Amino acid sequence: MKIDAVTIFPEYFAPLKLSLLGKAQESGIVEFGIYDLRAFATNLHNQVDDTPYGGGAGMVMMPEVWGQALDPLMSAETDLIILTPAGKRFDQSMAAKFSKASHLVFACGRYEGIDDRVRQYYVSKNYRVHEVSIGDYVLGGGEVASLVMIEAITRLIPGVLGNPESLAEESHNEQGYLEYPNFTKPQNWRDIPVPEILLSGNHGEIAKWRAEQAIERAKENL
Ligand code: ADE
């Protein structure tokens, strides 16, 4: 999978070199391209934003610079993802869908967002365009949101996780269940013992207990 991101802060994407994502890159499963939006600015001061038409606080990112940056990246293979708190809520099932894509482009807006004509333009040219939010809170920009999405999406690509069984085990989470609580050694820690059932060796009963616990936990965290 090819993943591109356009941002005024390319340094935000340094963590892509770490851990599973770094390995996935080395093995050629994913390829990242990080583009500095300012390199596409057309005016003297490399300005990328301006005041909003109609008035109001904040600045809006100008369409021309975004058009210049995105045009060379877009193809029939591309899913363009525009990060905005007003977008569709990202969840595990959306991650699963994007994990089957071949080319993702993340457009990281800052300030009050990107001039809406950028979205309108690529929609009008029949590209697949998605406005996505990672949750009901406002971040300083789309960079951290992109990283969250990239991590959730890429770990679902075959070959990225060391142990593919952990994917199979959590697959039901896509239907909205949370995971059961986990325990490892020692058997007793600060007078808190590991639940007896997990030491029983009875796999049927263990699976049943874990399912109950997962539901309990989901209810508590509603
Ligand atoms: N940009 C600012 N806040 C955001 C959010 N919650 N999700 C995606 N992009 C954003």
Side-chain angles (χ1 to χ4, degrees), residues 83-85 132-135 137-142 145:
L83 284 313
T84 160
V132 180
S133 163
I134 63 160
Y137 38 79
V138 181
L139 301 165

Side-chain angles (χ1 to χ4, degrees), residues 34-50:
I34 308 300
Y35 298 89
D36 186 351
L37 182 71
R38 276 195 208 283
F40 299 90
T42 48
N43 57 35
L44 268 183
H45 304 289
N46 286 347
Q47 185 189 351
V48 296
D49 60 327
D50 212 328

Side-chain angles (χ1 to χ4, degrees), residues 8 19 35 41 46 52 95 100-101 106 118 120 134 139 152 159 168-169 174 182-183 187 189 197 205 207 215 217:
I8 55 167
S19 188
Y35 298 89
N46 286 347
K100 297 182 178 81
F106 290 87
V118 175
Q120 291 175 31
I134 63 160
L139 301 165
E169 271 187 28
E174 277 170 45
N182 281 300
F183 304 88
Q187 240 188 70
W189 180 73
I197 180 85
E205 284 301 310
I215 290 165
R217 219 185 197 185

